[in-house]
Amino acid sequence: MKKITPQPGIMEIAPYEGGESRVEGVEDVLKLSSNENPFGPSPSVGAAIAGAAGQVHRYPNTDHAPLRQAIAEVHGLDAGRIICGVGSDEVLQFLCQAFAGPGDEVVHTEHGFAMYPILAHAVGATPVVARERERVTDVDALLAACTGRTRIVFVANPNNPTATMIGIDEVARLAEGLPEGAILVLDGAYAEFVDGYDGGAALVEARNNVFMTRTFSKLYGLGGLRIGWGYGPREIIDVLNRIRQPFNLSEIQMAAAMAAVRDRNWAGHCLAETARLRDRLAGQLAALGVPSDPSLTNFLLARFADRAEAEAADTHLKSQGVIVRRVAGYGLPECLRITVGDEAGCARVVEGIRSFREVRS
Ligand code: PMP
């Protein structure tokens, strides 16, 4: 019998590992491994979900018009150039499916989000890594990594797991220097956390080769519901809509997202608290000998002396019920990525690192 084989590239994929959420034998577990919002979604989300729950025997709206309208109003965008997906992951997937294939290259940064190479391999394209400079996206390295075969360049700005970002002038220089036919995908999963940053929306409007993705999973506290969106040139949106499944989002997802994006008070509260707690946590960890680059997101990339120390700190935190993320798979074995929790959550991290230092001294 002929062997059944998958499409080229698929067996190259190292499956994505989500943040852990359990520790054997520990009850009071604090999950700080997936950059979730510790305050949860807007209080209006529960009622919105309940309102939509009575209609689950009906297929959902296929064009997401009310949700796109809400996003457009809040962000000052054109609703006709928005596409919604099952998390921003799905929008990133549409881009790869539509624009890359065997023989094509998909460029991403050295410590870029794990889904970029996975999605590139899934369509048979070749992921190409561009070096970063001290954990910061390097536009010159990205441009040098591009060839005539480059179809997509993924840049998360701010980036996960480094928490750093580059300025919009640098992003514009990158877009300007891309080879013909290549798209710059600006992944704005953490864009909301940066005061005054539009995620690259103005650049999308000024050019035909820039696309922005955003999510409801981080600031809006809806990671469990899976809603994301993209903003791009009309021609690209038109292409992506041809491969999008007509019913990719349920009415429950859309109702929740609309309630979340319209509640500016809650978003503002979460932003202010996250920034306050993050900056304090960074200072406290630095005082304990664990530095991190200034973060523009809801997490810190904590740096230890070496891989052994990072792993020992992770093991110790786990024994205290605190789960953070190892990032050796991102080429950062000496680091741990720590989501900014609430007041009590941050205190547990500081206490965990303090007792780790004590045990080892
Ligand atoms: N991009 C980046 C940089 C991320 O960190 C994440 C979530 N970890 C995503 C995209 C995907 O988020 P979602 O699919 O939940 O929108």
Side-chain angles (χ1 to χ4, degrees), residues 16 34-35 86-90 92 113 115-116 156 158-160 187-190 213-218 223 226-228 299 337:
Y16 183 84
S34 298
N35 298 342
V86 180
S88 48
D89 277 348
E90 194 186 34
L92 300 172
F113 180 43
M115 287 305 290
Y116 307 149
N159 185 43
N160 168 25
D187 179 336
Y190 300 93
T213 57
R214 304 287 282 260
T215 186
F216 282 90
S217 304
K218 308 297 174 189
R226 316 300 304 121
I227 312 136
F299 60 89
R337 195 192 68 188

Side-chain angles (χ1 to χ4, degrees), residues 4-13 102 121-124:
I4 295 173
T5 47
Q7 290 291 309
I10 293 187
M11 297 313 287
E12 311 287 322
I13 295 174
H121 280 308
V123 297

Side-chain angles (χ1 to χ4, degrees), residues 237 268-269 292 323:
I237 295 291
H269 164 74
S292 51
I323 306 180

